[in-house]
Amino acid sequence: MSLNSPIEPDAARPESVEPVTLSDRVNAVIHPTADPSPDAAAATVAKFAEKTGMPQSRKQNSATFTQPETIGLFGSRKDSFSQRYHLTRRGKLKRLTQIAQIVNQFDIVHGLTPIKMRLMLEALGPTFVKVGQILSMRSEILPQSFCDELSKLRADADPMPYGTVLQVLEDEYGRPVGEIFEHINATPLGSASLAQVHRAKLSTGEDVAVKVQRPGVRETMAQDVSIMRTIARIAAKTMHSAQVVDLSGVVEELWDTFESETDFLIETRNLAEFKRFCERYKYMDCPKPYPELCTEHVVVMDYVEGISVSHPNELIEAGYDLKEIGTKLVDNYATQVLDEGFFHADPHPGNIMVRGGQIVLLDLGMTGRLNAKTRSVLKDMIFAVAKQDSPALADGLLRFAGAEADPEDYPALLADLDVIVKEFGTVDLAELDIAAMLTALTQMAQRHGIEVPSTVTTVGRALVTLEGLLDEFIPDVNMIQIISDHIAASTSKKDFAKDEAKSLVIEGHQALHSLLAAANELKVASRMLTRGQLRVNMEMVGSQEPLHMLAEMVNRLTMALIVVGLFIGSSIVYYAGIKPVIFGIPIVGFMGYVIAFILSVWIVFDIYFKGRSNKKR
């Protein structure tokens, strides 16, 4: 209706309508329906619309605002984690009981083998599968044999019913599936614990793959994470300083991973960004997404039909050179990690195919990002290990932690770095195991309270996955050699000069600010000195041992004076015959002799045994 159209009040309101009182409107706001589902909210709005005469289009729009933000006298009321994912105490107890039953089936009380632990995590569901995948890279938490077994975890699961898939699509699009897809294959291409993929054909003719998230999977994960948070809080209170692992940090890292993997709009953006990256390389590609058909729970992308790298014989029969495929794959991966800072975080064989002379990377749900500083530090640390330069390696490690890094025992840090340098720096750079080096550095940094960015751990996990792929299917390719050559080739003299100039500018800027800060501190100190307010706290390094010896000498001298006093005083009391007297012996004098004798013996033994221990040292 245009602005110039006449308003017809009779046409806009039904002739017979039940009057809406103020109390009706207040009750509708204060006492909403208890059913939080969108259908219930829509029914409530529809009922209210019938009484008010609200047009149908406005009813539909109002149905989307079922959880309005509220404010109060003491600030806005924040939506809690439990409210957001509809978690209840009864639901958590039910899930906890289910977890306990599964754990009991695997007889965890009598111990877990690596295989039993992997099978138990698979039985517990998608949350614990992801926990296992993260723990597989945390050898400071689990023994290496468990980490190796957990690295085999895959999120395979029984397929969803075809009817459920269609229902999810209809709920997401709000219209019949037939209006969008010409047909959808009932047999899935793959079924994981988070989602299921089907081949389909759009009504416009494109051959696509449709990735559909399992209903309720995010709520299940949120429930598991809520239970883990409770356990982590209890553990933090009971373990205190004995806790060697930040359990709360691990749980929060886990939830961040869940949120990104279950939001398919993030995967859609990753696909679009990686597609733009692949345009510069004729031999690399990834599926093209259809953003207009992608939602938080559905991804629609081009269907890729090719040969998986896990079938090397088929690749050879098709005329491909395995060494060329492996070399280009690793070199491009080095470009992603060290040059672009945006990389595929899960390069396992199922996510890499070869089609039409191109390497196609699938499943961009897990990606990693490295900023320029982290990429620069990684390169420097690799060469520091190769040059067996512990101080340079320590500097790189401290650059990870930032300006606030201040290790309590810097000599001990250098000593631990010397061990890593001897282990990894004695080999040629081409034979350097970067993944193992990053793992060792991460564990050592944690012992010294240095926080390494989680993205570095992601890089290490991805490199381990890629190295395992090459060892199994393309063994003639040396991943470390290719990455080393890539670093050397990408660092030309011109680039090196630019980097050095940039570093000098940054360091000069920091030095200037530090100099100004020092001048300001000197000004404050001189002002306090002139006012008589300056105090100096001085500690003499190595002075503790002499002071301790001096204190012992003073203590012994004091005890000797007390013994002498007791002997003299007891003698006076004894010969004066001061009462009480038993068998002709004054009791007070006798007790004084006994105490003086015991103290004398104690002083002699203390001097003797401590003298022997000092000689042994």
Side-chain angles (χ1 to χ4, degrees), residues 274 277 281 283-284 327-336:
F274 203 79
F277 165 77
Y281 304 91
Y283 61 88
M284 291 295 299
T327 301
K328 289 184 175 179
L329 174 62
V330 174
D331 185 72
N332 189 268
Y333 203 80
T335 302
Q336 296 173 36

Side-chain angles (χ1 to χ4, degrees), residues 34-42 66:
D35 189 351
S37 66
D39 293 338
T66 58

Side-chain angles (χ1 to χ4, degrees), residues 587-598:
I587 299 300
V588 176
F590 180 76
M591 293 301 298
Y593 280 131
V594 171
I595 295 173
F597 177 76
I598 293 173

Side-chain angles (χ1 to χ4, degrees), residues 481-506:
Q481 176 70 60
I482 297 170
I483 293 178
S484 303
D485 292 344
H486 179 91
I487 295 174
S490 61
T491 311
S492 63
K493 291 184 179 179
K494 185 177 180 181
D495 293 334
F496 180 77
K498 286 183 179 179
D499 292 340
E500 284 296 310
K502 188 183 295 184
S503 298
L504 286 174
V505 170
I506 295 173

Side-chain angles (χ1 to χ4, degrees), residues 5 24 38 91 111 123 126 159 222 250 263 304 342 359 406 410 427 448 487 533-534 538 559 564 576 593 603:
S5 301
D24 290 336
V250 172
D263 185 354
V304 177
F342 174 65
I359 302 170
D406 186 19
Y410 190 78
V427 300
H448 289 274
I487 295 174
Q533 298 173 334
L534 187 64
M538 184 172 63
M559 291 297 296
V564 171
Y593 280 131
I603 292 174

Side-chain angles (χ1 to χ4, degrees), residues 143-459:
Q144 190 60 45
S145 59
F146 282 81
C147 294
D148 294 339
E149 184 65 30
L150 293 182
S151 65
K152 302 175 185 177
L153 276 170
R154 287 288 172 258
D156 298 331
D158 295 332
M160 280 190 293
Y162 183 60
T164 303
V165 174
L166 297 180
Q167 186 61 50
V168 171
L169 292 173
E170 287 190 1
D171 292 342
E172 288 296 308
Y173 295 130
R175 50 180 169 154
V177 177
E179 296 182 9
I180 303 171
F181 301 97
E182 183 177 312
H183 76 272
I184 301 175
N185 288 2
T187 304
L189 297 171
S191 182
S193 56
L194 292 181
Q196 189 163 295
V197 182
H198 288 258
R199 185 175 182 178
K201 188 174 184 179
L202 296 177
S203 56
T204 51
E206 291 89 349
D207 195 9
V208 297
V210 184
K211 185 176 180 180
V212 182
Q213 190 174 125
R214 291 178 179 268
V217 69
R218 177 176 278 197
E219 286 71 19
T220 301
M221 287 182 163
Q223 197 168 56
D224 291 343
V225 168
S226 180
I227 294 172
M228 291 178 188
R229 282 174 174 167
T230 303
I231 296 173
R233 281 196 299 268
I234 295 173
K237 290 179 181 178
T238 56
M239 296 171 71
H240 298 293
S241 59
Q243 184 177 343
V244 296
V245 178
D246 182 10
L247 294 178
S248 297
V250 172
V251 172
E252 295 309 317
E253 177 187 345
L254 190 67
W255 177 244
D256 290 340
T257 305
F258 288 163
E259 278 198 310
S260 61
E261 286 194 31
T262 54
D263 185 354
F264 286 176
L265 290 176
I266 294 177
E267 181 173 353
T268 304
R269 290 193 293 270
N270 290 340
L271 282 167
E273 183 175 352
F274 203 79
K275 186 74 174 177
R276 290 192 294 270
F277 165 77
C278 291
E279 290 175 355
R280 288 173 282 169
Y281 304 91
K282 293 182 178 180
Y283 61 88
M284 291 295 299
D285 200 6
C286 76
K288 181 188 76 173
Y290 293 79
E292 67 279 1
L293 297 177
C294 297
T295 70
E296 191 175 352
H297 304 104
V298 176
V299 178
V300 180
M301 66 194 105
D302 280 337
Y303 173 73
V304 177
E305 189 170 14
I307 305 173
S308 172
V309 292
S310 60
H311 300 110
N313 293 331
E314 294 183 20
L315 290 171
I316 294 173
E317 291 175 2
Y320 291 107
D321 183 352
L322 293 183
K323 189 170 184 178
E324 181 185 5
I325 291 173
T327 301
K328 289 184 175 179
L329 174 62
V330 174
D331 185 72
N332 189 268
Y333 203 80
T335 302
Q336 296 173 36
V337 174
L338 298 174
D339 299 339
E340 297 295 323
F342 174 65
F343 60 94
H344 194 299
D346 192 22
H348 67 80
N351 286 339
I352 305 174
M353 302 187 77
V354 179
R355 176 197 65 179
Q358 290 182 313
I359 302 170
V360 184
L361 297 185
L362 309 175
D363 192 2
L364 270 292
M366 287 181 63
T367 58
R369 293 182 184 274
L370 297 173
N371 56 32
K373 173 187 172 183
T374 305
R375 299 198 302 270
S376 174
V377 172
L378 274 177
K379 293 179 182 179
D380 292 344
M381 290 175 69
I382 291 171
F383 281 115
V385 172
K387 293 186 294 184
Q388 302 188 36
D389 189 347
S390 296
L393 189 59
D395 290 342
L397 201 59
L398 293 176
R399 281 169 63 192
F400 272 143
E404 69 279 0
D406 186 19
E408 296 181 359
D409 194 346
Y410 190 78
L413 173 64
L414 288 179
D416 285 348
L417 287 172
D418 283 337
V419 175
I420 293 177
V421 165
K422 288 178 182 177
E423 181 179 356
F424 296 100
T426 54
V427 300
D428 187 73
L429 185 59
E431 300 174 358
L432 176 62
D433 191 342
I434 297 178
M437 183 197 78
L438 290 176
T439 302
L441 280 174
T442 302
Q443 295 173 9
M444 187 275 302
Q446 188 175 19
R447 291 198 302 271
H448 289 274
I450 300 174
E451 185 177 355
V452 177
S454 59
T455 50
V456 177
T457 306
T458 304
V459 171

Side-chain angles (χ1 to χ4, degrees), residues 15 56 70 86 99 142 155 184 235 266 334 398 406 410 525 557-558 617:
E15 292 183 3
Q56 181 67 22
T70 61
H86 310 299
I99 292 172
L142 292 176
I184 301 175
I266 294 177
L398 293 176
D406 186 19
Y410 190 78
L557 182 61
T558 303
R617 282 190 285 176

